[in-house]
Amino acid sequence: MNKITVIISTILLFCVCKVASENKGWQEYLQDNSEEFHDIPLTWESGSNVPSWLSGTYVRNGPGQHEFGSDKRKLSNWLDGFAKLHSFKFNGDRVLFSGKMLESQNYLDSVAAGELVPQFTLNQFVNPEDDWNIFEKMKIFYKMMDGTAFDNFNPMVWRFGEANLDNGVFMAVTDAPAALRFNISDLSTMGVQMPARYPPSTTGCAHPLREPGTDNTINFMTKLSMTGTPYIEVQRYRPEDSFSEPQIITTFTPEKTSIVHSFSLTEDYAIIFMYPLDVDIMKIFTSNFHLFEAMEWDETEDTDVYIINLNDGDVLHLNADPVYSLHHANAYQVDEEEIVVDLCEHGHTGLSEYLRVDNLLQPPETTEWKFIEENEFARWRINLNTGKVTKQSFRNETDSIFANMIDFPMINENYRGKEYCYVYGVSLVDYTRTAIVKKNVCRSGEDKIWYKENHYLSEIWFHQSPNSTVEDDGVLMTLAFDGERKQSYMMIIDALTLETIATSYLPHNIPWSAHGYHFYEAQF
Ligand SMILES: [Fe+2]
């Protein structure tokens, strides 16, 4: 019986009975860690086999600090933690590890004050009585007008500019319109990059994408017209474009605004799903500038689907059943008539409730291993002739609930916007039961799963083997936390078999973090 069979058999056992877990080390995994350190060489466990061709720099972004010393104004949503970058400079098995907090102005001011200074947060404070007074609210309003009320640049990183160290513009990005530039060598903060001041921008998107076959970035922002009507600007940043002056592919006025965190590209189209989840702009004031407290879900509304032609800017508007998703995995044009989009769906309370610190800190000890339909990973088929958008579930032949409930989707980036077969995702069940899933979207019977009790997994990066044309020939890299040892580690996995090939325990722990990107152009 090989390792994979053992793992899947273990999972099968979990599917038929309740399983109690000790959640070992979970509290330690969630401990803040704002320590700064630079270029520490990693040591690999014996038997590790790191591919000699691995190079470039992997950068991960995630919350590192939730408190500033004062008992007042403790942040209640994990994502409200202030962003910390970790980097791994690869040269085969010689890897240098660094960590540093992003030094946005609101972060620096809060450190200096020993307490959170006036700014937007996602949820209200742990103690609602700590909320902003009238003078502090006026300060936030002033910052809002100035575009500085929110500068916590969680949870993603991206490169604008050219694909080299001299002219690459490495940025921490979030769903706000601005971004924070950092130095990829020492992770120092280089300053906020703002979009053009007029027309004013209200939101951006934390998951820009590379236009297939190019080094261009495609993204979109919500802007306000002269009359205050929100509209969407779809943007193309060529390597020579500055952050404030992208090429505008098109603009359109959506039927409703929506909280949209990612989108899809095919070779000819951008596809934006606008869900019936939005922030009521007037409630931002009555909710004391806590964005998620002003969120509203309207299940009587459809999801609006916009298909934007990247070549001529034409926009097609279609409707789909109400759904919410944070992350698109990939999309492609099947033929002239049909586009498919693979979505990680979520309950609409996921952002505001799932990631509340008091929920995170108390994971259930017993898991019932039930499939949760609203967290399904599924395919949405868009028929351009009939205008119908329909959901199609993937079959699950593993009998494991992990297989069709994945998030943090990663693919072989060479297949972005093209017909493809593999998504690598993390399945998160009851917070602490976390698995890596290799999802075969072409043949559901060939899904593979990596799971270990009391090990807490996070987003993956896929590296394709050099000169290989096989989509899944390569290695996966992820950051995990060993609950038994109470220590973070980097793990490299054979993407073909899902067997671990290298492990390195890290000298500094990395708290639960969100997204990362491997910059091959950042060679040191
Ligand atoms: Fe995300």
Side-chain angles (χ1 to χ4, degrees):
M1 199 184 270
N2 65 30
K3 267 188 197 169
I4 298 302
T5 314
V6 171
I7 290 163
I8 291 175
S9 304
T10 310
I11 299 295
L12 291 176
L13 281 175
F14 291 163
C15 298
V16 294
C17 56
K18 290 185 178 183
V19 174
S21 165
E22 296 170 73
N23 300 322
K24 282 185 182 169
W26 180 252
Q27 310 293 323
E28 287 79 0
Y29 181 37
L30 295 173
Q31 272 181 9
D32 281 358
N33 184 352
S34 58
E35 294 169 302
E36 178 178 341
F37 50 91
H38 291 280
D39 292 335
I40 301 174
L42 293 191
T43 305
W44 297 95
E45 297 291 291
S46 86
S48 290
N49 183 19
V50 181
S52 58
W53 45 263
L54 276 185
S55 67
T57 302
Y58 179 70
V59 182
R60 176 66 77 87
N61 192 352
Q65 185 174 345
H66 293 76
E67 297 180 19
F68 296 94
S70 166
D71 281 339
K72 278 179 74 183
R73 296 189 182 131
K74 290 193 171 167
L75 298 164
S76 69
N77 188 301
W78 184 258
L79 287 180
D80 266 325
F82 279 80
K84 185 178 184 185
L85 297 181
H86 288 94
S87 73
F88 298 85
K89 296 171 180 164
F90 276 85
N91 191 351
D93 65 358
R94 295 192 301 281
V95 182
L96 301 176
F97 174 42
S98 302
K100 183 169 171 49
M101 295 295 295
L102 271 176
E103 295 179 335
S104 67
Q105 196 58 51
N106 283 322
Y107 172 73
L108 290 173
D109 291 346
S110 299
V111 170
E115 184 173 284
L116 197 75
V117 299
Q119 60 190 283
F120 273 130
T121 69
L122 301 179
N123 279 115
Q124 65 179 5
F125 303 123
V126 170
N127 181 359
E129 291 179 6
D130 289 342
D131 226 323
W132 309 117
N133 62 36
I134 185 70
F135 301 106
E136 289 161 336
K137 284 189 217 174
M138 286 169 67
K139 271 190 190 169
I140 300 175
F141 184 73
Y142 175 79
K143 285 183 173 180
M144 197 173 129
M145 294 296 103
D146 198 34
T148 57
F150 184 82
D151 66 2
N152 184 13
F153 290 90
N154 258 325
M156 181 53 179
V157 287
W158 191 255
R159 189 240 327 137
F160 296 85
E162 295 175 15
N164 58 60
L165 279 175
D166 289 336
N167 297 314
V169 179
F170 298 92
M171 305 265 237
V173 292
T174 181
D175 288 326
L180 192 62
R181 188 173 182 183
F182 64 90
N183 180 321
I184 197 166
S185 178
D186 63 9
L187 303 181
S188 57
T189 300
M190 298 173 72
V192 174
Q193 305 276 303
M194 301 292 280
R197 201 163 179 85
Y198 297 101
S201 311
T202 57
T203 62
C205 173
H207 289 280
L209 293 169
R210 293 268 172 242
E211 187 170 14
T214 76
D215 196 30
N216 300 333
T217 294
I218 304 288
N219 208 353
F220 67 94
M221 281 180 193
T222 308
K223 292 186 164 265
L224 297 177
S225 71
M226 299 268 282
T227 59
T229 307
Y231 70 93
I232 303 291
E233 182 177 284
V234 184
Q235 304 155 328
R236 175 184 285 115
Y237 298 82
R238 297 161 300 180
E240 64 271 28
D241 291 331
S242 72
F243 185 72
S244 60
E245 291 182 298
Q247 201 178 60
I248 299 171
I249 295 171
T250 193
T251 61
F252 65 93
T253 304
E255 281 206 355
K256 59 176 173 287
T257 52
S258 172
I259 296 176
V260 183
H261 179 70
S262 72
F263 67 108
S264 281
L265 286 182
T266 70
E267 290 178 298
D268 293 314
Y269 301 101
I271 299 124
I272 303 175
F273 277 53
M274 300 196 76
Y275 317 99
L277 181 70
D278 198 13
V279 168
D280 181 336
I281 200 81
M282 293 317 293
K283 272 196 174 172
I284 286 178
F285 301 98
T286 56
S287 71
N288 292 333
F289 302 100
H290 306 301
L291 296 178
F292 288 171
E293 309 293 346
M295 258 187 332
E296 289 193 345
W297 168 257
D298 185 351
E299 62 187 9
T300 65
E301 286 273 347
D302 281 346
T303 297
D304 293 305
V305 178
Y306 294 93
I307 298 124
I308 300 113
N309 189 315
L310 297 170
N311 306 308
D312 60 18
D314 275 1
V315 179
L316 176 65
H317 173 207
L318 302 174
N319 290 86
D321 289 340
V323 65
Y324 192 68
S325 164
L326 281 173
H327 298 120
H328 290 225
N330 198 13
Y332 64 90
Q333 296 157 238
V334 178
D335 50 35
E336 295 280 303
E337 190 177 36
E338 189 180 50
I339 294 171
V340 297
V341 179
D342 293 336
L343 284 187
C344 303
E345 299 172 14
H346 283 281
H348 61 87
T349 59
L351 277 171
S352 57
E353 292 302 317
Y354 188 85
L355 288 170
R356 286 187 72 94
V357 174
D358 48 3
N359 291 335
L360 265 177
L361 286 172
Q362 298 177 60
E365 289 184 4
T366 303
T367 289
E368 296 191 18
W369 299 98
K370 280 185 184 163
F371 177 70
I372 300 168
E373 196 175 340
E374 64 180 10
N375 291 346
E376 183 175 11
F377 173 70
R379 172 155 289 183
W380 289 72
R381 292 187 173 276
I382 300 170
N383 188 305
L384 298 174
N385 285 348
T386 65
K388 287 197 169 158
V389 183
T390 48
K391 175 177 167 177
Q392 179 188 29
S393 295
F394 290 107
R395 285 184 297 119
N396 180 7
E397 296 179 16
T398 66
D399 289 331
S400 160
I401 61 167
F402 288 135
N404 283 354
M405 282 203 303
I406 58 172
D407 197 3
F408 300 96
M410 193 58 62
I411 63 168
N412 179 336
E413 282 296 323
N414 294 322
Y415 288 74
R416 175 67 60 195
K418 300 172 184 169
E419 187 168 2
Y420 78 122
C421 280
Y422 299 104
V423 182
Y424 309 94
V426 183
S427 189
L428 308 162
V429 174
D430 285 346
Y431 294 104
T432 58
R433 284 69 170 183
T434 63
I436 291 173
V437 176
K438 178 184 181 183
K439 180 82 198 158
N440 189 324
V441 295
C442 300
R443 295 171 295 279
S444 286
E446 297 181 14
D447 297 339
K448 287 187 168 66
I449 293 161
W450 191 103
Y451 177 80
K452 204 168 179 183
E453 191 77 0
N454 295 319
H455 283 239
Y456 311 122
L457 303 163
S458 66
E459 188 177 81
I460 297 149
W461 185 265
F462 174 85
H463 300 267
Q464 186 160 20
S465 297
N467 306 318
S468 175
T469 55
V470 177
E471 185 185 338
D472 60 338
D473 180 5
V475 297
L476 306 175
M477 182 179 70
T478 189
L479 302 174
F481 189 85
D482 180 338
E484 305 272 352
R485 283 179 56 154
K486 300 180 174 51
Q487 192 172 1
S488 295
Y489 64 98
M490 168 171 275
M491 177 164 58
I492 297 177
I493 294 172
D494 183 330
L496 286 166
T497 62
L498 235 57
E499 288 190 44
T500 305
I501 57 173
T503 303
S504 174
Y505 280 87
L506 304 178
H508 296 268
N509 282 344
I510 300 176
W512 187 108
S513 66
H515 298 296
Y517 199 92
H518 197 99
F519 300 101
Y520 294 99
E521 61 273 26
Q523 303 273 344
F524 292 100

